[in-house]
């Protein structure tokens, strides 16, 4: 017998569109078989009905032949031979009626009954399992949708646990129903062959017995043929039993796996993440706009093909192009209080699509895979090796590490500025003769904070007193009163990269080491999200302001800033060290690292100028001398003309209170 197509039970749990597509072929085959079986049954019932009608007809014919004698024909003389002949024919017809009755009974038992049992048992079982599989799939989709809407708040851990259990139960239920459904469809490929041949064997045997008893019309060759057909049916039965046993064992093995395979996020703490992927496939939630302010999420199957991101809905034969990934950027985002979301941005900077993975592992692997594909690694001869090498050198590729061994100048370039005439020995430390080790600057294993979340005391705005804050985030013109009294106001657009505790503030090397560790951690963990703020530098403090609401995010007294420096290679990186008192009586040192739209030296210059102003503010003569050396605006405030960008026409901008570079 030729090989029989089968559904692979191992692919039932993944439930991929390819498996669904193959399943639709089997379902279509089962539907066609059901229609054909109904038509075949109608034809067989018609034959059986005709045979029953033949029995009744022959019985009626025999009676009618005997009734000829009882007829009072006006001209009935000489009919004795006819009557005797008709009596003989009546006897023959009665004998034939017995044979037809036996044939009708045999057709009912060997032809009609097997096809009826096949339809009512096998085909009905497949239809019932299909409905159960559909209900289980719908229940799983609903539970996944409920799971996908889980917020990230910690107080919802109990709800999350219940939803995860619900997803696992629904996924197990779908797995069990799919396995049963696949087994029934596989077995149907054998049963349909038997069901088509068994009734005809019964029909043929009945006809042969009928004709043998009547006139031996069938030859021995037909008997041999029917015998071979019976042997064939028997061999198919043996194959079916062996395959059924194999599927039963395989089903038990697949159902004996760990329960973690049913949980979407079973290892949240430390999932094993493969960062060297150059292709990826799986289900993601796609965010789509349904109106001006409304959105919808649809769970679809995504896969990468070369440099393209493809999407294939259930039931579709092939996938369609969603996004060209060449030179695209990908980053994790917060979207509608959903977890594990990431956004793909086109090379021209336009926002692309937002997707949601079902677990942290899937989220990070998708980000790594898209990041690798965007570099066109797949075009190389050995893309896997190139991806591994790039990830091994992620620190050098993403973070240009400053060489601490190069010869230092007599003072830090970020603090030894040409425009500064007043030197403050407390804020401009001398460069160390020997470069300290990293362990002397920052303790190993020091945690890194990637969001601006400061202690509650740092959120207190001492200048506002007990003023009530507008709940809508709006501020009045006098929202920052200390800025009005400050001789220096300079605004810069910065993005917060991270902060960490340090052990010393005696050298700017601690800032460079903090920059290296922060950027290295971002590269390793694929953290691309950054918080943008406006950094206002005054002669009293540094203030981080939310650009949307103008609400102060963090304040640092300028006297508490003990070190500040720009990166020696990446000029847009800048950092500073803050010394703050602790409740225990001691002091803590923290380094804050930012990325600026302009050169970090401009921010360092502004901080240095603010510290100089703060130092000489009580000395009128020194303050007057400093005011003569730096240009002022009409209201008597300092303006950094040498460090401001120019307009397109080449003329310098006025001090507008915000950095011009975007």
């Amino acid at each position: 017998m030729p090989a029989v197509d089968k559904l692979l039970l191992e692919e039932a749990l993944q439930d991929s569109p390819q498996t669904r597509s193959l399943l639709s072929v089997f379902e279509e085959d089962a539907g066609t078989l059901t229609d054909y079986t109904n038509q075949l049954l109608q034809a067989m019932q018609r034959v059986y009905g005709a045979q029953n009608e033949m029995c009744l007809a022959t019985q009626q014919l025999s009676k009618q032949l005997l009734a000829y004698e009882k007829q009072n024909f006006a001209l009935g003389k000489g009919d004795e031979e006819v009557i005797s002949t008709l009596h003989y024919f009546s006897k023959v017809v009665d004998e034939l009626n017995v044979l037809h009755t036996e044939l009708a009974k045999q057709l009912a038992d060997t032809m009609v009954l097997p096809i009826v049992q096949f339809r009512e048992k096998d085909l009905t079982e497949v239809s019932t399992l299909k409905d159960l599989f559909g209900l289980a799939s719908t229940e799983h989709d609903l539970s996944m949708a409920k799971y996908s809407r889980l917020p990230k708040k910690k107080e919802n851990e109990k709800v999350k646990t219940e939803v995860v259990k619900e997803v696992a139960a629904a996924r197990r239920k779908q797995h069990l129903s799919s396995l049963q459904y696949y087994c029934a469809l596989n077995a149907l490929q054998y049963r349909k062959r038997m069901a088509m041949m068994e009734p005809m064997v019964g029909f043929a045997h009945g006809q042969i017995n009928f004709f043998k008893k009547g006139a031996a019309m069938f030859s021995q060759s037909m008997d041999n043929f029917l015998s071979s057909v019976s042997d064939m049916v028997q061999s198919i039965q043996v194959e079916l039993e062996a395959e059924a046993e194999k599927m039963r064992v395989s089903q038990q093995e697949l159902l004996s796996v760990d329960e973690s395979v049913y949980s979407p996020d079973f290892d949240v703490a430390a999932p094993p993440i493969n960062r060297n992927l150059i292709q990826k496939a799986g289900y993601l939630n796609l965010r789509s706009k349904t109106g001006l302010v409304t959105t919808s999420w649809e769970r679809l199957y995504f896969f990468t093909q070369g440099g393209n991101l493809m999407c294939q809905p259930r039931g579709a034969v092939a996938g369609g192009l969603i996004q060209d990934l060449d030179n695209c950027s990908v980053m994790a985002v917060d979207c509608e209080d959903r977890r594990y979301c990431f956004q793909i941005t086109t090379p021209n900077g336009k926002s692309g699509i937002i997707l949601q993975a079902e677990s942290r592992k899937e989220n990070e692997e998708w980000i790594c895979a898209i990041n690798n594909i965007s570099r066109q690694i797949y075009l190389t001869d050995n893309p896997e090796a190139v991806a591994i090498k790039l990830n091994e050198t992620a620190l050098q590729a993403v973070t240009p590490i400053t060489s601490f061994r190069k010869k230092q100048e007599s003072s830090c370039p970020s603090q030894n500025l040409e425009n500064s005439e007043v030197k403050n020995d407390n804020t401009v430390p001398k460069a160390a003769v020997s470069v300290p080790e990293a362990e002397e600057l920052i303790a190993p294993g020091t945690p890194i904070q990637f969001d601006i979340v400061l202690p509650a005391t740092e959120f207190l705005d001492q200048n506002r007193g007990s003023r009530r804050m507008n709940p809508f985030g709006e501020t009045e013109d006098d929202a920052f009163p200390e800025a009005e009294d400050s001789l220096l106001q300079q605004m810069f657009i910065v993005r917060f990269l991270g902060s960490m505790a340090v052990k010393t503030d005696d050298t700017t090397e601690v800032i460079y080491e903090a920059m290296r560790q922060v950027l290295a951690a971002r590269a390793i963990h694929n953290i691309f999200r950054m918080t943008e703020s406006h950094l206002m530098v005054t002669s009293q403090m540094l203030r981080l302001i939310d650009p949307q609401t103008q609400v102060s995010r963090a304040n640092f007294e300028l006297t508490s800033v003990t070190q500040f420096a720009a990166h020696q290679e990446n000029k847009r990186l800048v950092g500073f060290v803050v010394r703050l008192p602790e409740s225990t009586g001691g002091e803590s040192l923290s380094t804050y690292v930012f990325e600026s739209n302009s050169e970090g030296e401009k921010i360092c210059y502004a901080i240095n100028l603010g510290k100089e102003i703060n130092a000489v503010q009580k000395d009128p003569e020194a303050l007057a001398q400093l005011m003569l050396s730096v240009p002022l605006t009409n209201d008597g405030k300092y303006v950094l003309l040498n460090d401001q960008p120019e307009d397109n026409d080449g003329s310098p901008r006025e001090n507008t209170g915000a950095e011009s570079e975007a």
Side-chain angles (χ1 to χ4, degrees), residues 375-616:
R375 303 175 185 176
Q376 299 182 349
I377 298 176
Y378 62 92
L379 298 176
T380 60
D381 294 335
N382 192 352
E384 291 83 0
V386 175
I388 294 173
K389 183 177 180 180
L390 286 177
N391 281 283
E392 288 177 350
T393 58
L395 302 184
Q396 292 81 2
V398 178
T399 308
I401 302 176
T402 303
S403 175
F404 294 137
R405 309 304 176 186
K406 62 171 59 177
K407 184 177 181 179
Q408 301 287 330
E409 296 180 352
S410 61
S411 62
C412 175
S414 300
Q415 294 174 322
N416 186 18
L417 305 171
E418 296 179 356
N419 294 337
S420 300
E421 296 181 1
V422 180
K423 304 297 181 181
N424 188 347
D425 294 337
N426 294 328
T427 60
V428 186
K430 299 289 184 179
V433 176
S434 62
V435 179
E437 297 294 333
E439 292 78 5
E440 299 176 4
L441 303 174
I442 301 174
T446 301
I448 300 175
Q449 184 171 303
F450 297 106
D451 292 323
I452 303 179
V453 181
L454 300 178
T457 55
E458 297 186 29
F459 280 102
L460 297 178
D461 191 345
Q462 300 177 358
N463 294 318
R464 295 193 180 203
S466 61
R467 289 183 58 190
R468 180 179 178 183
M469 182 177 295
N470 192 315
F472 297 99
E474 299 174 355
T475 57
E476 300 176 358
D477 294 336
D478 57 348
F480 309 118
E482 81 285 346
E484 294 294 331
D485 300 333
S486 175
L487 294 175
L488 173 66
Q489 290 184 39
Q490 192 70 18
M491 190 82 75
F492 300 91
I493 299 177
V494 295
R495 285 168 294 280
F496 180 69
L497 296 178
S499 63
M500 60 191 307
V502 297
K503 299 171 65 175
T504 180
D505 60 351
D506 295 336
T507 174
T508 56
E509 300 294 340
V510 68
I511 299 177
Y512 301 144
E513 177 62 22
M515 289 178 178
R516 187 190 69 81
Q517 292 193 21
V518 167
L519 291 178
R522 280 181 168 269
I524 292 173
H525 299 291
N526 286 289
I527 302 175
F528 301 100
R529 183 179 58 190
M530 295 182 289
T531 304
E532 185 171 292
S533 303
H534 288 172
L535 176 63
M536 176 182 284
V537 181
T538 68
S539 57
Q540 284 85 24
M541 67 173 53
L542 303 179
R543 185 186 295 274
L544 287 174
I545 303 171
D546 190 306
Q548 301 295 329
T549 63
Q550 298 300 309
V551 174
S552 177
R553 286 176 173 165
N555 300 324
F556 303 98
E557 295 289 341
L558 208 58
T559 54
S560 66
V561 178
T562 58
Q563 289 286 355
F564 50 93
H567 200 284
Q568 295 180 353
E569 296 178 8
N570 190 342
K571 302 300 183 182
R572 297 172 64 182
L573 295 182
V574 65
F576 55 82
V577 181
V578 178
R579 180 185 292 269
L580 295 174
E582 294 182 337
S583 58
T584 57
E587 291 181 329
S588 63
L589 294 174
S590 299
T591 299
Y592 294 84
V593 181
F594 297 86
E595 180 187 48
S596 172
N597 278 8
S598 60
E599 293 185 2
E601 289 291 345
K602 297 181 180 180
I603 300 178
C604 293
Y605 178 82
I607 296 175
N608 187 74
L609 181 59
K611 296 178 76 68
E612 290 180 353
I613 294 173
N614 196 8
V616 303

Side-chain angles (χ1 to χ4, degrees), residues 640-651:
L640 309 179
L641 293 179
N642 293 336
D643 297 283
Q644 291 296 320
E646 296 183 353
D647 289 324
N648 294 332
D649 57 0
S651 60

Side-chain angles (χ1 to χ4, degrees), residues 40 58 74 90 109 208 231 305 314 330 348 381 389 398 451-452 470 558 582 615:
L40 180 63
T58 53
S90 175
D109 294 337
I208 289 175
D231 294 341
Q305 190 175 64
R314 285 184 180 177
V330 58
N348 56 12
D381 294 335
K389 183 177 180 180
V398 178
D451 292 323
I452 303 179
N470 192 315
L558 208 58
E582 294 182 337

